[in-house]
């Protein structure tokens, strides 16, 4: 169970700001570092780049600032009882690590603060905060364990993840590789290379597989006409849809529905 005390989102500290806690904060502290800065933790000084995170021990002395200008971060003070990734020593304390997309944990942190301020039912508030904190910790643990993965360090990885997640949800309205590459300001060949490198499959084959997987769910669970299902899966030609469906599943949509009804 987590007890959350206070926090902030995208807090901008002016040039010359320094946070110094020689006796620690008295709580665990999550810092999502947006601007970068110079940190001193228990006498060890370190220059930390933007897009980093750290969880500080309640008793560790620390200070930080950004000598180059404004210091910007998201932060949360909390304690906990029971077992979690920190108590299991899977998520280390006082250790900086990189986060591919800082907005993911920042969104969760912000939702925790929202629950603190605006959920009036105490039981619901406690349950929601516990759930959100567990998800936040899992996100931080994932970032910590993946920080040395070359994909995770690539600035295009979050965009490709978002694209693939969108298609997995059945969004096939505009999946032209040329337009996707243009939206990222990269060449089509580099787009193809990155996609295969990130996911181990070519963009073209992945699109076909996801279209047919989505079509299988629609055929199995709805009474929509095949013409509509083909359109929802991004096919402008119903005959082309039939051919690809049978090529991948080994049966026609009608046969698939009868087999799975």
């Amino acid at each position: 169970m987590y007890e959350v005390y206070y926090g902030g989102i995208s807090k901008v500290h002016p040039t010359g700001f320094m946070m110094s806690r020689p006796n620690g904060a008295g709580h665990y502290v999550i810092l999502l570092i947006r601007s970068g800065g110079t940190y001193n933790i228990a006498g060890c000084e370190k220059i930390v780049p933007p897009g980093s995170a750290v969880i500080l021990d309640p008793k560790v002395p620390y200070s930080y600032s950004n000598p180059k200008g404004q210091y910007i971060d998201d932060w949360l003070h909390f304690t906990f009882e029971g077992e979690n990734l920190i108590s299991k020593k899977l998520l280390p304390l006082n250790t900086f690590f990189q986060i591919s997309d800082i907005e993911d944990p920042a969104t969760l942190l912000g939702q925790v603060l929202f629950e603190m301020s605006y959920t009036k039912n105490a039981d619901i508030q406690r349950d929601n905060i516990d759930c959100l904190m567990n998800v936040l910790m899992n996100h931080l643990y994932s970032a910590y364990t993946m920080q040395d993965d070359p994909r995770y360090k690539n600035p295009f990885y979050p965009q490709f993840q978002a694209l693939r997640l969108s298609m997995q949800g059945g969004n096939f309205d505009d999946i032209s590789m040329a337009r996707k590459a243009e939206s990222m300001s990269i060449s089509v060949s580099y787009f193809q290379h990155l996609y295969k490198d990130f996911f181990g499959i070519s963009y073209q084959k992945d699109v076909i597989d996801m279209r047919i997987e989505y079509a299988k769910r629609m055929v199995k669970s709805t009474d929509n006409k095949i013409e509509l299902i083909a359109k929802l899966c991004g096919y402008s030609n119903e005959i082309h849809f039939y051919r690809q469906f049978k090529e991948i599943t080994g049966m026609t949509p009608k046969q698939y529905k009868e087999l799975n009804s």
Side-chain angles (χ1 to χ4, degrees), residues 2 30 55 84-86 88 90-91 97 105 108 130-146 152:
Y2 291 90
I30 295 173
I55 303 176
N84 64 13
L85 290 170
I86 295 175
K88 292 178 181 178
L90 295 174
L91 191 54
F97 54 93
L108 291 165
D130 275 350
C131 287
L132 287 164
M133 285 297 295
N134 280 322
V135 176
L136 174 57
M137 289 298 172
N138 287 339
H139 270 258
L140 294 175
Y141 176 67
S142 178
Y144 171 70
T145 56
M146 290 183 64
Y152 201 68

Side-chain angles (χ1 to χ4, degrees), residues 7-259:
I9 297 294
S10 296
K11 173 63 177 177
V12 179
H13 301 276
T15 301
F17 161 85
M18 172 175 279
M19 174 64 71
S20 178
R21 289 195 167 104
N23 298 312
H27 311 126
Y28 291 94
V29 181
I30 295 173
L31 295 175
L32 305 178
I33 303 158
R34 294 178 178 270
S35 63
T38 300
Y39 277 75
N40 188 305
I41 298 181
C44 181
E45 188 167 292
K46 183 178 180 66
I47 297 175
V48 179
S52 300
V54 66
I55 303 176
L56 298 171
D57 183 271
K59 296 181 180 180
V60 68
Y62 67 89
S63 64
Y64 57 84
S65 64
N66 181 14
K68 297 181 179 180
Q70 294 178 327
Y71 175 83
I72 308 171
D73 66 2
D74 304 66
W75 51 281
L76 190 73
H77 286 237
F78 69 98
T79 56
F80 64 86
E81 294 180 359
E83 196 172 69
N84 64 13
L85 290 170
I86 295 175
S87 66
K88 292 178 181 178
K89 300 188 184 304
L90 295 174
L91 191 54
L93 298 172
N94 312 323
T95 301
F96 294 95
F97 54 93
Q98 284 290 110
I99 297 181
S100 176
D101 187 354
I102 205 168
E103 295 305 330
D104 287 342
T107 298
L108 291 165
L109 194 154
Q111 188 61 41
V112 169
L113 297 177
F114 180 91
E115 295 293 334
M116 285 180 60
S117 298
Y118 299 113
T119 301
K120 301 307 179 185
N121 183 295
D123 291 336
I124 293 176
Q125 182 191 75
R126 183 172 56 252
D127 288 346
N128 287 352
I129 287 176
D130 275 350
C131 287
L132 287 164
M133 285 297 295
N134 280 322
V135 176
L136 174 57
M137 289 298 172
N138 287 339
H139 270 258
L140 294 175
Y141 176 67
S142 178
Y144 171 70
T145 56
M146 290 183 64
Q147 62 180 325
D148 293 326
D149 188 323
R151 295 175 302 172
Y152 201 68
K153 294 179 179 180
N154 191 302
F156 290 106
Y157 190 45
Q159 296 180 64
F160 277 81
Q161 285 180 307
L163 168 61
R164 196 165 191 250
L165 187 62
S166 175
M167 291 191 295
Q168 287 171 336
N171 186 2
F172 303 109
D173 292 338
D174 183 16
I175 55 174
S176 161
M177 182 160 42
R179 284 194 290 272
K180 293 301 180 186
E182 183 180 6
S183 71
M184 299 180 189
S185 300
I186 59 177
S187 68
V188 171
S189 61
Y190 190 47
F191 179 95
Q192 290 176 305
H193 168 76
L194 287 177
Y195 199 96
K196 180 71 177 290
D197 189 48
F198 289 154
F199 306 121
I201 187 172
S202 72
Y203 180 70
Q204 296 94 325
K205 187 175 188 314
D206 210 17
V207 167
I208 293 171
D209 287 350
M210 283 189 279
R211 277 174 160 176
I212 299 304
E213 191 60 37
Y214 187 72
K216 285 162 61 178
R217 296 200 300 269
M218 296 290 287
V219 169
K220 180 179 178 180
S221 62
T222 75
D223 58 359
N224 290 336
K225 293 182 178 181
I226 299 302
E227 181 182 2
L228 175 59
I229 292 176
K231 185 177 181 180
L232 290 172
C233 294
Y235 290 90
S236 58
N237 187 311
E238 189 177 338
I239 296 175
H240 183 44
F241 167 70
Y242 262 89
R243 287 175 178 168
Q244 283 199 335
F245 192 96
K246 187 172 183 179
E247 180 182 340
I248 291 175
T249 66
M251 60 189 81
T252 66
K254 182 179 179 181
Q255 291 169 332
Y256 184 84
K257 187 174 185 67
E258 290 173 348
L259 184 65

